[in-house]
Amino acid sequence: MERVRLLIDGQPVEVEPGATILEAARRIGIDIPTLCHHPALGGGGACRVCVCEVEGAKTLVAACVCPASDGMVVWTHSKAVRDARRMVVELILAAHPQDCLACARSDTCELRRLAARLNAGPARFRREKAVPAVDASNPSLVRDPSKCILCGRCVKVCRDVQGVAAIGYAHRGIEAAVGPAYGDPLAYTRCVFCGQCAAVCPVGAIVVKDDTDRVFEALSDPAKHVVVQVAPAVRAALGEEFGLPAGTDVTREMVGALKRLGFDAVFDTQFSADLTIVEEGHEFIERLKSGERLPLITSCSPGWINYMENFHPELAAHVSSCKSPQQMMGAVIKTYYARQAGIDPETIVSVSVMPCTAKKFEAQRPEMNSSGYRDVDVVLTTRELAAMLRQAGIDLSGAPQADFDSPLGESTGAGEIFGVTGGVMEAALRSVSFALAGEPLEELEVRPVRGFEGLREAEIEIAGRPVRVAVAHGLSNAEELLRRIQRGEREYHFVEVMACPGGCIGGGGQPLSKDPEIRQKRASVLYRGDRAKRQRMAHDNPAVRRLYEEFLGQPGSPLAHRLLHTTYCQKLSPAAAS
Amino acid sequence: MAQAAVGTVSNLQSREPGPEVLEKVDKVIEAYRGKEGALIPVLHEVQQIAGYLPRCVLRRIARGLAVPESEVYGVVTFYSLFTMTPAGRHKIGVCMGTACYVKGAAALLEAVRSASGAGADGISHDGRFSLEVTRCVGACGLAPVLSVDGEIYSRVEPEAVPAILERYP
Ligand code: SF4
Ligand code: SF4
Ligand code: SF4
Ligand code: FES
């Protein structure tokens, strides 16, 4: 294909046709400022912060959407450009609360950084607007529309990536707003609480609900026994919050840091991921034998469960009755662990650290109390854990390395890969094929279900019969897969769905990143971890075996059912009710 | 003494969407289902039928056309021709035809606005009035003309407006 040649600030650059001026400039180390544009979402064109001068053009052009063309001469920081950019930012600031000191995004706010970078101040104009109410209607996210700069990123991710469209543009002109229909709180919409909107919002207009103080309080209460579990995806990303390159495995530093924070026991959600596979594998084999309610669909992603309940309640019978690993661990901590350690479960505060904001919602579901107590008391996201460590003055790289505590800290490689799309499927196939064929899969690493294609399918031969599986991540991909199944175009035995793009490693509570390779880098931590494990099949986990021997009996036993399984309902929000 | 009406025209409309209205709404949705760009024409036709676009109707349209509710709401609030508020109990029309305009309809409109309490959408907070600016009603000899529930008042001075409206509780 013909290459496009142009001059940017007097420097020649060559790009493929279709590349924007923004991309062309970055190619030669010129970083044109942006605000509404996000590389993972494409588009832009709303804020005009990225304007440049193009010789021969009548007006300044938006570099994030304007394609580079042959012979173009672009100036990225002429006086006209600098003035226009500063004006854009000052107009935004004019209607913006001057709240930076108390804002959750203070440190990471793109608007605040941009204002500093462009030397724009709020003082020149002031435009008073009616202050819309803060929406704290749900356990996962807080929306403060007064800070919204109408960039549209949340609308795009919610509608295009997640297919939920809980939020959209409304009104026009000075009254223009972004939010749910009718100005309702999020809790009244079909929002699944995946938090992808909070992960792409450039400012503090949608943030994760901050539960760090509840944890600090528990930690400083001597009457409480505070335990924590950590999901696989957290160790693959937490380092980014402390300046380590993406893809650094910080498992042992993280455990050391949690002990320094004062947790009485640090457990690994990978243990209960293994446990999930044993239970779900058992369920799958039963369905495979009876041929009923196939395909079995995974249940470990609470964003997906919310989606199923809100949009596809007719599929509830297909979804595995297994709780997510977080909730299984919660139930086991306040029963088995409490008994083993001789601790009154009443005094246990069970904390979990998750890449996921929907896990906050899940932990508060009324039925999640099978231990006789709230199974999980507080859920923190990866970003909140980082904030706690910073507040406590604990630098991850300086923390002493440590290992998870027993008995709920042991895990196999199968539990580790739970954090990435395809991982639950791969982990299940390893154990299911062992159970059916009596020997491990010839190739333990199930390549066809790996990768980041939105939809993947494979046929795996297990004990002489073909097992057809499919994997989807990102809910609009999941919707497409479900449609194919419901139209009868495809038949599968087993389907994995994770709500977030990339799976948990791309969760809404993970460190903010615009690196297009971020998911691959984080996934590599988990795949390396898997390879380094002594055991790589969930049922080989010795601690899981002991749990069955000493407490649960058999997979699928009545006690296992009571503690580790759940049922689904149609969410009773007004939106879902009609 | 309050001014008397000089005649009537018929333009009353129903306020709450009853079952027969909803049935018509469903027919409109059915006619457009699966067609590209159906949302705006459907909203338009439904508003003609129901008089306004309440939440329950918007939800029906969203589900019926498989369009997210947030998008339906976005469109309804973007175009000023759509309204989610039911019409007031009494419908006021102020003629802005040339003759009425020349005879001071602008001042009359202002007086009606303040006396009725009509907001930007033309509807008063208490749901009593909805105010509409009309084109020539063909009563130029009587300009400026004001109509309430189809009753026409002629040569209305702004000061006479409160007394006229008082008759429509
Ligand atoms: S969103 Fe950014 S600019 Fe606005 S108050 Fe928060 S930190 Fe300040
Ligand atoms: S949490 Fe997810 S579903 Fe809810 S508004 Fe944000 S992106 Fe949409
Ligand atoms: S809430 Fe955030 S992401 Fe959404 S439009 Fe406003 S500023 Fe942009
Ligand atoms: S970044 Fe280009 S228009 Fe907003």
Side-chain angles (χ1 to χ4, degrees):
Chain A
M1 219 193 292
E2 276 298 298
R3 306 274 290 171
V4 171
R5 289 184 189 81
L6 65 161
L7 276 182
I8 301 180
D9 294 343
Q11 296 186 54
V13 53
E14 233 188 69
V15 289
E16 59 288 356
T20 60
I21 296 176
L22 178 71
E23 286 158 353
R26 289 201 173 149
R27 209 70 60 80
I28 50 170
I30 296 170
D31 183 25
I32 298 173
T34 56
L35 187 54
C36 67
H37 175 264
H38 190 290
L41 300 171
C47 72
R48 299 196 59 82
V49 158
C50 64
V51 288
C52 294
E53 212 173 320
V54 172
E55 283 185 13
K58 282 196 217 70
T59 52
L60 298 178
V61 303
C64 71
V65 285
C66 180
S69 64
D70 213 42
M72 214 178 218
V73 179
V74 182
W75 300 99
T76 71
H77 56 92
S78 62
K79 175 160 170 50
V81 166
R82 279 180 284 123
D83 287 351
R85 284 182 189 154
R86 193 178 294 173
M87 177 70 88
V88 165
V89 172
E90 289 185 346
L91 282 172
I92 295 173
L93 292 176
H96 195 86
Q98 323 243 311
D99 205 14
C100 302
L101 277 180
C103 182
R105 288 291 300 273
S106 211
D107 246 12
T108 53
C109 175
E110 292 181 34
L111 174 61
R112 189 171 133 121
R113 282 188 190 157
L114 196 62
R117 176 174 162 192
L118 301 182
N119 201 9
R124 268 212 288 170
F125 320 97
R126 195 68 211 144
R127 180 158 69 90
E128 293 307 333
K129 286 204 299 192
V131 182
V134 171
D135 170 9
S137 60
N138 67 84
S140 299
L141 300 163
V142 179
R143 282 186 65 243
D144 182 350
S146 71
K147 290 179 185 160
C148 176
I149 58 167
L150 306 177
C151 71
R153 289 188 194 172
C154 60
V155 175
K156 267 189 215 141
V157 82
C158 189
R159 183 192 57 202
D160 302 342
V161 179
Q162 298 301 60
V164 173
I167 40 187
Y169 283 101
H171 303 282
R172 65 192 295 176
I174 189 143
E175 291 183 359
V178 162
Y182 319 116
D184 276 350
L186 268 183
Y188 289 4
T189 70
R190 297 210 268 187
C191 171
V192 302
F193 304 116
C194 66
Q196 290 300 319
C197 49
V200 297
C201 181
V203 294
I206 311 182
V207 297
V208 174
K209 180 163 174 285
D210 181 355
D211 287 311
T212 56
D213 274 346
R214 288 174 63 203
V215 177
F216 271 125
E217 238 161 71
L219 287 171
S220 51
D221 183 345
K224 298 287 184 205
H225 183 82
V226 191
V227 302
V228 64
Q229 57 166 312
V230 194
V234 176
R235 69 207 67 187
L238 184 64
E240 296 162 33
E241 288 277 336
F242 294 87
L244 297 169
T248 309
D249 179 358
V250 294
T251 310
R252 303 191 72 241
E253 291 81 356
M254 174 187 75
V255 177
L258 286 164
K259 292 191 167 170
R260 271 211 176 163
L261 262 183
F263 286 100
D264 295 301
V266 182
F267 293 143
D268 195 347
T269 311
Q270 291 181 183
F271 164 88
S272 50
D274 283 339
L275 180 60
T276 304
I277 286 304
V278 172
E279 287 293 322
E280 195 164 344
H282 177 80
E283 192 181 11
F284 180 56
I285 289 168
E286 286 199 337
R287 291 206 200 174
L288 209 53
K289 283 184 180 152
S290 70
E292 276 165 25
R293 290 190 284 148
L294 289 171
L296 175 71
I297 311 178
T298 57
S299 59
C300 45
S301 161
W304 150 241
I305 292 300
N306 290 341
Y307 184 85
M308 181 273 290
E309 289 181 330
N310 288 350
F311 291 82
H312 288 289
E314 76 280 3
L315 289 175
H318 286 267
V319 176
S320 163
S321 63
C322 287
K323 287 180 182 172
S324 73
Q326 160 177 287
Q327 294 305 130
M328 285 203 183
M329 180 67 106
V332 168
I333 284 173
K334 291 199 182 176
T335 53
Y336 173 71
Y337 167 71
R339 199 172 75 178
Q340 276 231 327
I343 298 164
D344 178 2
E346 180 93 48
T347 65
I348 295 179
V349 177
S350 183
V351 177
S352 74
V353 187
M354 295 284 140
C356 175
T357 57
K359 287 252 160 38
K360 286 180 186 266
F361 177 89
E362 180 188 39
Q364 295 204 9
R365 293 177 71 118
E367 67 274 21
M368 292 296 173
N369 61 352
S370 54
S371 62
Y373 305 87
R374 187 94 314 244
D375 292 338
V376 173
D377 294 293
V378 192
V379 179
L380 299 174
T381 57
T382 310
R383 295 204 290 279
E384 286 169 277
L385 173 60
M388 282 188 75
L389 294 178
R390 280 192 290 266
Q391 200 180 136
I394 299 168
D395 183 354
L396 201 61
S397 41
Q401 305 204 344
D403 289 315
F404 285 106
D405 291 310
S406 66
L408 310 178
E410 265 179 87
S411 67
T412 72
E416 182 121 8
I417 58 176
F418 247 67
V420 54
T421 170
V424 175
M425 180 59 71
E426 182 170 342
L429 289 173
R430 289 180 190 176
S431 281
V432 165
S433 75
F434 188 86
L436 291 178
E439 55 181 16
L441 281 172
E442 205 168 304
E443 189 49 76
L444 211 53
E445 300 188 355
V446 190
R447 295 280 157 184
V449 301
R450 292 193 179 186
F452 292 93
E453 278 296 307
L455 283 184
R456 307 188 292 285
E457 50 181 12
E459 197 174 284
I460 313 285
E461 184 147 311
I462 295 180
R465 63 172 293 178
V467 173
R468 284 187 306 279
V469 302
V471 172
H473 60 123
L475 288 169
S476 50
N477 293 323
E479 179 62 36
E480 176 58 30
L481 177 62
L482 298 177
R483 246 184 245 154
R484 287 183 194 171
I485 295 172
Q486 292 188 316
R487 282 196 300 243
E489 293 166 20
R490 287 286 200 287
E491 272 186 34
Y492 302 106
H493 298 102
F494 199 0
V495 168
E496 177 204 286
V497 178
M498 294 194 192
C500 288
C504 312
I505 50 165
Q510 290 282 65
L512 304 170
S513 170
K514 286 190 183 171
D515 178 351
E517 300 284 297
I518 193 70
R519 287 167 200 147
Q520 284 81 346
K521 289 175 186 167
R522 289 173 183 167
S524 75
V525 173
L526 301 184
Y527 285 129
R528 271 183 278 134
D530 168 36
R531 244 169 280 137
K533 288 276 187 185
R534 199 163 341 140
Q535 283 107 6
R536 301 179 68 186
M537 290 188 288
H539 60 270
D540 282 341
N541 184 328
V544 169
R545 286 172 175 238
R546 272 201 305 281
L547 174 67
Y548 280 105
E549 280 158 23
E550 294 170 10
F551 187 60
L552 292 173
Q554 296 296 314
S557 72
L559 183 59
H561 257 277
R562 188 163 69 72
L563 293 178
L564 310 180
H565 292 251
T566 187
T567 52
Y568 305 109
C569 61
Q570 192 169 340
K571 188 181 152 201
L572 289 176
S573 82
S578 66
Chain B
M1 208 194 80
Q3 201 166 352
V6 295
T8 58
V9 292
S10 140
N11 61 353
L12 290 171
Q13 56 185 192
S14 70
R15 292 183 53 248
E16 292 296 322
E20 30 350 302
V21 171
L22 292 181
E23 205 173 293
K24 285 187 197 158
V25 169
D26 288 345
K27 283 215 181 90
V28 175
I29 294 171
E30 203 45 57
Y32 281 93
R33 204 193 296 276
K35 291 194 185 144
E36 275 294 299
L39 182 56
I40 291 183
V42 166
L43 289 169
H44 200 77
E45 285 190 30
V46 168
Q47 182 161 295
Q48 300 281 311
I49 293 164
Y52 72 118
L53 296 166
R55 244 176 122 117
C56 61
V57 165
L58 292 185
R59 176 156 300 163
R60 231 178 163 84
I61 294 172
R63 297 291 153 91
L65 298 178
V67 175
E69 222 169 335
S70 58
E71 192 182 324
V72 175
Y73 179 75
V75 169
V76 167
T77 55
F78 186 85
Y79 294 103
S80 53
L81 87 118
F82 295 126
T83 174
M84 289 184 60
T85 333
R89 287 196 296 284
H90 305 288
K91 200 166 181 191
I92 310 176
V94 175
C95 178
M96 278 290 179
T98 315
C100 288
Y101 192 80
V102 170
K103 294 280 181 116
L108 177 61
L109 180 63
E110 254 333 288
V112 173
R113 266 219 177 99
S114 80
S116 65
D121 56 357
I123 293 152
S124 64
H125 305 299
D126 53 7
R128 196 167 140 212
F129 295 109
S130 39
L131 167 59
E132 222 174 60
V133 169
T134 66
R135 275 175 294 177
C136 183
V137 296
C140 305
L142 309 173
V145 163
L146 170 73
S147 72
V148 186
D149 291 347
E151 297 178 323
I152 304 275
Y153 296 85
S154 62
R155 298 201 186 92
V156 184
E157 298 290 332
E159 305 79 65
V161 169
I164 294 176
L165 296 190
E166 251 170 49
R167 302 182 186 181
Y168 301 88

